[in-house]
Amino acid sequence: MKPSAWPGWRGAEDEIAYTAPAPGVQVWSRGAVAFESLGGLGGMGVGIDPAGHQAVVRAALRRWATQRVVDTRTLKGRYALVWWDASAGHVAACTDAFRTYPLYYARSGSAMLVASDARLLLATGEVPRKPCLPALYHYLNFSYVPAPYSALEGIAKLPAGSLLQATAAAVEVTRYWDAEYPEDISGSVEQRAAELRRRIVDTVTGYRPNGGTRWGTFLSGGTDSSSIASILARAVAPGKVSSFSIGFEEAGYDELSYSRLASERFGLEAHERRVGEAEAVAAIPRLVDAFDEPFGNSSAIPTYYCADLAAQHGVSVLVAGDGGDEIYGGNERYRKDRIFGAFYRSPWIVRRAGRAAAGLLAPVDTRWANRIKNFVERGSLANPDRFYSDDSFASDQFDELLSEEFRQCVARDDSLDLQRRIFHEARAGSELHRLMYLDLKMTIADNDVVKVVRASRTAGVSVMFPYLDRELVDYTGRLPSTDKVQGLEKRFLFKKATQDILPPEIRKKKKQGFGLPVSVWLRRNGPFREMAQDVLFSSQCRQRGYFQTAHVEALMRRHERGAWDHAAEIYMLLMLELWHRKYVDEGDE
């Protein structure tokens, strides 16, 4: 397999190792890959446990090679493993609880192909470069392709916390770990807060890289990254923790004042930079290369530059706060859902008045009128349909956006049905916990983790996620849902647990994270708007036949005059076209 087929990033090794450890088994690898082989039994894997090494991965491989036992119970941290039994024609594979190390697989005749990147499966020549329209439809609703779907036909992604078992006769995927919500912890609020604090501190401290690794933390100034920085700063005192933050010149998108507050209070060695519009445009080709599939979350750009800043200071591992919103109840959508739910459960006369107001405003296409109509429409839905309506671009504009050929391959409710299925799979009694489960399965495993890992890898930096520790996630699932969101207060118990960890200014601030001012850039003349127009209205994009160009033009005009914010949708369309050019068109040349 040619080295050119492998993804590139800062510090990536050029040498590709090849071995055929048993009849019918061929392995290509690069970098620090653990490997075990004994006769026809063997395996390989990558991983970083909380201590920063691959000991648990090696132990799991040895147990297979000596006992033919697939053991996922002792695995911890980030990992992906593949095992084989050549004599039985059996292949097994697993990825960690949140798919921080992804695995893609495909069948080619009787052969089973497994790889860490979809582009490696394409490089075998056994898989066609053909886009999967049902997967792309999901992308156009969620801004990412959810597992087990892949943007390419014939390739599947192994879902988070799952085990693949394959023989010549069958492929079976089972879940070996999942979040559960028994809500079986009682005691006083003070007791629960004290125990949550202890577990948070122990978990975060346990994820501190050791040895000679140069490490630091992402620091947005929000509650999750700040709490992790605070805990680690105390753990290494009198030493200093390096923190890395990104800001923007545009008002409303810059959180450097909060990251500076955190770094001063915690005694961090702070590093920061501002990203401008031209730099954002320059990063997009790198990010298209970083992701094997179209990825429409624009916050990958500041994430990349933050990791790049860390790499410039010699840091190779960053500790991230992803997952905190989804286990402590910090997502703003949970609070909004309470408000929508209040309208949904309100007396019929209130709902009828709301619908009447929305009807009167139907012909008015201004920002305030559209907000009222949006509220009434979403507030009239039950969950999970209501929750989905926050991510429903293509299904909302199904007839106007998609070409007839595209619509023939998908149904309007395909993405909604996917979320409905996950929502109802949750082992949870409360509606909030079902929504949090949905976010863990999709927003975290398929979006946030993918964004942080791939963008950081491009800069040559790996990432640890203490708030996605399985034991911590299991514990928070045992807490009452009212500890997550009480009334309209998010992170109810977390705020009490971190009173001596976070300053009140950060505990009370509105969540923002590494947001990107794409909305502003698309409303003014500049390189970002110019790139979007050049790509989306090019003959190449028009001839793709996916969209009705007149509707895309209308979205751009509507965004420019401020009737609605379509920045996320425009960015999704842009990244889809750029992905198509690199991963489908280039291979056909």
Side-chain angles (χ1 to χ4, degrees):
M1 189 177 295
K2 296 179 180 179
S4 61
W6 293 68
W9 61 83
R10 180 184 285 131
E13 296 184 19
D14 293 328
E15 184 177 352
I16 309 300
Y18 168 77
T19 182
V25 178
Q26 299 183 72
V27 176
W28 288 264
S29 63
R30 178 177 70 174
V33 177
F35 189 89
E36 289 283 341
S37 181
L38 184 63
L41 295 176
M44 61 187 297
V46 291
I48 310 174
D49 67 16
H53 48 68
Q54 296 199 39
V56 292
V57 169
R58 295 184 184 280
L61 294 175
R62 280 195 298 273
R63 188 165 187 196
W64 170 261
T66 57
Q67 303 174 40
R68 203 183 183 279
V69 173
V70 173
D71 186 3
T72 59
R73 295 170 303 170
T74 58
L75 294 171
K76 193 173 176 68
R78 297 182 54 195
Y79 54 85
L81 298 96
V82 180
W83 301 268
W84 58 81
D85 180 344
S87 61
H90 175 240
V91 175
C94 78
T95 185
D96 60 56
F98 296 99
R99 207 165 59 82
T100 68
Y101 275 118
L103 287 177
Y104 297 80
Y105 62 94
R107 293 300 297 257
S108 178
S110 61
M112 188 70 188
L113 311 175
V114 182
S116 59
D117 292 79
R119 74 193 77 190
L120 298 180
L121 297 181
L122 291 176
T124 65
E126 299 293 328
V127 181
R129 291 178 180 268
K130 184 178 180 181
C132 175
L133 291 186
L136 297 187
Y137 181 67
H138 289 320
Y139 166 79
L140 291 168
N141 285 307
F142 302 126
S143 79
Y144 54 85
V145 178
Y149 293 91
S150 161
L152 295 158
E153 281 195 8
I155 297 178
K157 292 199 293 281
L158 185 60
S162 294
L163 176 68
L164 169 76
Q165 303 265 13
T167 64
V171 175
E172 181 183 24
V173 175
T174 56
R175 194 176 295 160
Y176 68 84
W177 179 87
D178 204 4
E180 298 179 1
Y181 301 87
E183 298 191 44
D184 59 355
I185 292 179
S186 56
S188 68
V189 170
E190 290 74 19
Q191 289 172 326
R192 296 198 303 274
E195 178 61 14
L196 178 61
R197 183 195 184 283
R198 183 189 71 79
R199 288 176 179 267
I200 288 172
V201 171
D202 288 350
T203 300
V204 172
T205 303
Y207 273 75
R208 180 183 64 189
N210 56 21
T213 303
R214 289 284 305 277
W215 62 276
T217 67
F218 285 105
L219 183 62
S220 69
T223 52
D224 293 325
S225 63
S226 296
S227 61
I228 286 173
S230 174
I231 294 167
L232 291 176
R234 298 181 189 195
V236 304
K240 284 183 175 291
V241 170
S242 295
S243 65
F244 300 90
S245 307
I246 293 294
F248 302 96
E249 295 176 0
E250 287 74 13
Y253 293 88
D254 190 278
E255 282 197 306
L256 287 179
S257 61
Y258 285 102
S259 64
R260 287 169 187 160
L261 169 65
S263 63
E264 290 170 4
R265 294 287 180 89
F266 309 150
L268 308 177
E269 184 179 309
H271 307 275
E272 63 182 47
R273 69 174 292 183
R274 279 190 166 87
V275 174
E277 182 178 359
E279 290 175 298
V281 170
I284 285 179
R286 297 190 190 106
L287 294 175
V288 172
D289 188 60
F291 299 94
D292 288 315
E293 300 177 287
F295 190 74
N297 185 339
S298 64
S299 64
I301 295 173
T303 302
Y304 163 72
Y305 276 116
C306 195
D308 182 66
L309 178 64
Q312 291 174 21
H313 286 82
V315 167
S316 60
V317 177
L318 284 172
V319 185
D322 296 83
D325 280 341
E326 292 74 17
I327 67 171
Y328 305 129
N331 196 316
E332 179 64 15
R333 294 200 298 173
Y334 306 148
R335 190 183 71 85
K336 288 182 179 179
D337 188 74
R338 289 290 173 92
I339 299 171
F340 287 130
F343 179 80
Y344 180 77
R345 294 185 298 273
S346 65
W348 69 268
I349 193 168
V350 175
R351 286 179 276 123
R352 188 173 72 174
R355 287 193 290 269
L360 291 172
L361 292 170
V364 182
D365 192 22
T366 62
R367 187 64 175 264
W368 68 268
N370 290 329
R371 287 174 70 92
I372 293 171
K373 289 182 285 186
N374 179 265
F375 176 84
V376 173
E377 180 181 355
R378 296 182 64 188
S380 300
L381 299 172
N383 274 323
D385 298 29
R386 182 169 69 232
F387 207 61
Y388 170 74
S389 65
D390 198 37
D391 295 311
S392 51
F393 170 44
S395 56
D396 285 347
Q397 304 181 41
F398 190 80
D399 294 319
E400 301 85 358
L401 174 68
L402 303 178
S403 67
E404 182 178 355
E405 294 77 14
F406 200 135
R407 294 198 305 271
Q408 289 175 350
C409 298
V410 297
R412 184 190 296 270
D413 286 346
D414 281 352
S415 296
L416 173 57
D417 288 341
L418 174 63
Q419 283 211 339
R420 284 170 174 164
R421 185 169 66 251
I422 296 172
F423 180 83
H424 292 297
E425 284 175 356
R427 298 176 186 175
S430 73
E431 183 170 272
L432 174 62
H433 274 156
R434 289 185 179 276
L435 296 178
M436 294 173 71
Y437 176 82
L438 190 58
D439 270 345
L440 278 178
K441 302 300 286 186
M442 298 189 72
T443 305
I444 286 295
D446 292 327
N447 184 9
D448 290 350
V449 160
V450 175
K451 173 195 71 178
V452 176
V453 168
R454 291 293 181 115
S456 299
R457 185 179 76 169
T458 300
V461 173
S462 61
V463 186
M464 299 294 287
F465 300 96
Y467 285 157
L468 294 177
D469 180 83
R470 276 162 56 176
E471 292 181 6
L472 182 61
V473 175
D474 287 342
Y475 177 77
T476 58
R478 298 178 60 200
L479 294 168
S481 63
T482 51
D483 281 353
K484 310 333 178 9
V485 180
Q486 190 164 113
L488 294 180
E489 183 180 0
K490 301 177 298 179
R491 296 176 176 269
F492 174 75
L493 195 67
F494 177 84
K495 290 177 181 177
K496 293 184 178 297
T498 57
Q499 284 185 350
D500 67 332
I501 294 174
L502 291 173
E505 299 94 327
I506 290 178
R507 285 203 312 275
K508 297 175 182 178
K509 73 176 288 291
K510 183 179 179 181
K511 178 178 173 58
Q512 184 171 315
F514 285 146
L516 192 72
V518 175
S519 180
V520 176
W521 295 339
L522 285 171
R523 286 197 178 104
R524 70 188 187 195
N525 292 324
F528 206 100
R529 184 167 176 260
E530 181 181 340
M531 175 186 60
Q533 291 180 328
D534 287 348
V535 171
L536 294 179
F537 305 130
S538 65
S539 59
Q540 198 171 358
C541 186
R542 291 172 188 266
Q543 292 168 10
R544 191 84 58 206
Y546 290 166
F547 310 114
Q548 299 182 54
T549 304
H551 187 67
V552 178
E553 292 172 341
L555 288 177
M556 291 282 284
R557 290 193 301 270
R558 195 165 183 254
H559 177 84
E560 289 167 4
R561 63 184 175 83
W564 198 252
D565 189 343
H566 290 296
E569 293 94 328
I570 294 167
Y571 187 82
M572 271 197 283
L573 296 173
L574 170 68
M575 296 304 282
L576 174 59
E577 173 60 23
L578 294 176
W579 169 83
H580 212 294
R581 292 180 184 185
K582 179 172 181 60
Y583 288 95
V584 180
D585 298 351
E586 285 186 11
D588 292 337
E589 294 175 354

